[in-house]
Amino acid sequence: MAQINRVRGTNDFLYEDSRKLRYIEQVFAQKSKNYNFEQIRIPIFEYTELFQRGIGEATDIVSKEMFTFLDRGNRSMTLRPEGTAGIVRAVIENSLINERAINKIYYIGSMYRAERPQKGRYREFNQYGIECIGTDNPYTDAEVIALNLYILNTLSANLNCSALESLELEINTVGCQSCKPNYNEALRQYLDDKKDSLCAVCQNRYEKNILRILDCKNASCAAVLENAPQIYDHVCSECKEHFDSLCFSLKEMNIDYTINSKLVRGLDYYTKTAFEIKSNYLGTQSAVAGGGRYDNLIATFNNGKAVPAVGSAMGIERLLIILEDSKLSEIAKSSLDVFVILFKESVCFGTTIINELRKNNISVDSDLNLRSIKSQFKSADKSNAKYCLIIGSDEIENSMATLRDMHTGIEQKISFDKLSSILYSLLHKN
Ligand code: HAM
């Protein structure tokens, strides 16, 4: 029978990759805590309508990238393509929105988009997302950006990662419900006699989602847009003020940024702030994180009652690409405290010792296939064991185990009843 392989655009995170993920996730958790963001976990699939209404029917995500299926009851379900819509559903459904004036949430999990796979773009990928729900203060937008940068800078410093030193923060305002139509109209008028020079996708966007033409990567579209009207000139005074305050807050926080007036992002729920953190290390899929404000999304699901919010998501696979040449691989090397070498005659006694050590929080492994001593030492080396403990018939007879320091090769005899305490202090002496 033919071998079954993983689905195109998905990844296996094997031992070392999983350890890398665990390290990064710990940094997410610690740094989120410093900003008082708390984790919640929500389902991987939701009713399709949540994403249709939340993200917008005309977006690429909803119109062509969702993994949608009918369940056994003929209800349309979709694997989440992003986290914000589900988080919004959860805070409303569980009344968190009424219980707390401000909800500061983070989440880590897999997302699904049927995009054409390439480096940094997968069909199953992982995000670290943060959402701050309940305030329209532009300082919050700056804080969301700051937390992303705090994490990236921490990783850069801890992992000696020069690739993380050259990140670019781009910000823009996309206006609000009341002023967005003004800009859309100005853009429509500007493009009216230039439509034919746009790529086929943008010709379609001209009809359905005109704002998205702005961030088309196609060279001919970029040329057409060179003298396009600027969003900032068409947004209302409230949006201008909000954007100016965001810029001011970022300056106060010593955060460098570039205003990219063409940054509009691929989800329809954004109002006012839109931002992306880009790395030239990533090639065409250059955004490691992106986000913005979504002051009207919650009203869509909350009986029309609007609650302002802002958030972002960071692509974990993209982060791992940037971290490829960093110290992360070294940190993520497997490690084991003790490898126990056993023989047929000592396996029974040895197993009780192993259990005792494990109960004392020492990580221990052995080769229960009881291969030759040479093979067992090889396994100890492979598992990066700090110590080898040899338990043979001599050791049992003398009530003393032989402990070998795998780094120095020095051996010593230790009586069985002192093993746990001696090993524990040896392992924690630094
Ligand atoms: P997004 O820009 O669609 O925003 O995704 C955020 C990040 O997820 C991207 O910058 C990228 O690093 C990563 N990403 C997106 N698609 C893929 C893919 N196919 N393969 C690998 N990585 C990918 C959102 O998802 C919004 N929910 C962010 C947000 C939260 N806005 C407000 N709150």
Side-chain angles (χ1 to χ4, degrees):
M1 268 198 286
Q3 183 176 318
I4 298 174
N5 293 332
R6 68 190 150 84
V7 173
R8 194 165 159 253
T10 64
N11 291 299
D12 295 319
F13 287 88
L14 304 182
Y15 300 122
E16 184 175 326
D17 290 334
S18 268
R19 288 193 292 269
K20 286 181 175 177
L21 272 185
R22 211 155 44 237
Y23 177 86
I24 292 173
E25 285 173 5
Q26 270 168 16
V27 175
F28 290 150
Q30 282 162 4
K31 302 307 163 196
S32 304
K33 174 112 185 72
N34 293 358
Y35 278 69
N36 200 25
F37 279 81
E38 204 179 336
Q39 187 173 28
I40 70 172
R41 298 172 201 240
I42 54 168
I44 280 171
F45 65 99
E46 303 265 3
Y47 291 115
T48 302
E49 198 187 340
L50 177 81
F51 302 116
Q52 287 168 332
R53 266 162 62 187
I55 302 170
E57 297 268 14
T59 57
D60 285 353
I61 295 179
V62 172
S63 64
K64 52 186 189 205
E65 292 170 0
M66 296 208 300
F67 284 99
T68 297
F69 57 96
L70 291 180
D71 75 353
R72 286 159 193 270
N74 247 0
R75 287 165 296 232
S76 182
M77 305 283 169
T78 293
L79 298 183
R80 61 184 183 194
E82 58 105 48
T84 312
I87 295 287
V88 163
R89 180 209 40 78
V91 293
I92 296 169
E93 185 173 341
N94 297 291
S95 290
L96 299 182
I97 217 155
N98 304 322
E99 284 164 16
R100 302 180 184 200
I102 298 181
N103 280 278
K104 294 172 79 173
I105 293 163
Y106 83 88
Y107 51 94
I108 298 171
S110 53
M111 308 290 158
Y112 301 83
R113 296 184 194 174
E115 295 190 82
R116 201 160 41 80
Q118 62 175 85
K119 187 177 174 196
R121 189 166 70 191
Y122 310 102
R123 293 188 167 171
E124 181 187 64
F125 59 97
N126 291 276
Q127 284 186 342
Y128 157 74
I130 55 181
E131 312 292 349
C132 182
I133 297 171
T135 169
D136 60 4
N137 189 332
Y139 192 83
T140 321
D141 308 36
E143 266 201 344
V144 165
I145 292 172
L147 172 51
N148 278 284
L149 291 171
Y150 177 39
I151 287 171
L152 294 167
N153 291 335
T154 302
L155 289 169
S156 168
N158 291 359
L159 302 174
N160 217 347
C161 177
S162 53
L164 270 179
E165 283 164 14
S166 54
L167 297 170
E168 282 276 338
L169 166 66
E170 293 186 353
I171 60 169
N172 193 22
T173 178
V174 295
C176 65
Q177 238 176 2
S178 65
C179 61
K180 251 186 197 177
N182 299 345
Y183 180 71
N184 285 357
E185 192 41 44
L187 190 59
R188 194 174 302 281
Q189 275 177 21
Y190 170 80
L191 290 173
D192 190 45
D193 55 353
K194 305 176 186 64
K195 274 190 300 231
D196 297 345
S197 314
L198 295 172
C199 70
V201 177
C202 284
Q203 290 190 13
N204 189 33
R205 284 176 176 158
Y206 181 85
E207 305 299 335
K208 293 195 173 136
N209 198 359
I210 191 158
L211 212 56
R212 286 286 290 152
I213 297 178
L214 286 184
D215 65 0
C216 179
K217 304 280 182 297
N218 193 302
S220 62
C221 295
V224 170
L225 289 165
E226 206 147 288
N227 299 313
Q230 302 279 307
I231 300 189
Y232 185 83
D233 298 334
H234 290 78
V235 298
C236 63
S237 55
E238 190 192 314
C239 287
K240 272 193 180 131
E241 216 174 283
H242 195 276
F243 188 64
D244 294 345
S245 302
L246 166 65
C247 295
F248 177 79
S249 307
L250 290 172
K251 279 187 198 131
E252 288 284 289
M253 294 175 174
N254 278 327
I255 293 175
D256 292 334
Y257 60 85
T258 311
I259 297 175
N260 174 359
S261 59
K262 297 202 168 65
L263 179 73
V264 290
R265 313 229 339 106
L267 303 110
D268 274 359
Y269 49 62
Y270 290 114
T271 52
K272 297 181 177 160
T273 308
F275 77 88
E276 270 176 4
I277 300 172
K278 294 184 173 171
S279 162
N280 51 19
Y281 204 77
L282 286 171
T284 45
Q285 302 306 312
S286 61
V288 63
R293 180 160 280 286
Y294 49 96
D295 288 346
N296 298 114
L297 177 62
I298 291 169
T300 319
F301 301 106
N302 195 27
N303 292 325
K305 190 169 164 254
V307 178
V310 60
S312 68
M314 190 181 292
I316 297 179
E317 284 77 2
R318 292 191 192 172
L319 183 57
L320 284 172
I321 293 174
I322 303 177
L323 290 170
E324 248 160 29
D325 292 328
S326 73
K327 259 172 54 187
L328 184 57
S329 309
E330 204 181 305
I331 286 180
K333 274 217 175 93
S334 71
S335 77
L336 182 72
D337 293 334
V338 182
F339 193 96
V340 180
I341 311 272
L342 295 173
F343 305 88
K344 219 177 181 170
E345 60 278 15
S346 63
V347 69
C348 210
F349 178 74
T351 315
T352 56
I353 297 288
I354 288 174
N355 285 339
E356 185 61 30
L357 295 177
R358 286 175 177 159
K359 275 189 204 148
N360 282 288
N361 249 343
I362 295 169
S363 63
V364 189
D365 204 3
S366 64
D367 172 7
L368 290 177
N369 283 335
L370 302 178
R371 290 173 306 158
S372 69
I373 185 159
K374 199 168 153 207
S375 307
Q376 292 197 43
F377 269 114
K378 263 196 193 151
S379 299
D381 259 340
K382 234 181 164 173
S383 56
N384 251 331
K386 297 185 187 98
Y387 292 94
C388 252
L389 192 67
I390 303 150
I391 304 179
S393 44
D394 280 358
E395 278 80 8
I396 295 179
E397 207 168 296
N398 301 320
S399 286
M400 303 274 260
T402 307
L403 185 72
R404 180 188 292 186
D405 181 321
M406 294 298 277
H407 186 63
T408 62
I410 296 171
E411 288 189 357
Q412 57 178 310
K413 299 277 182 194
I414 300 178
S415 84
F416 286 119
D417 56 355
K418 296 211 175 86
L419 250 184
S420 285
S421 58
I422 291 183
L423 264 172
Y424 196 87
S425 46
L426 280 173
L427 289 163
H428 293 89
K429 68 179 172 210
N430 297 320

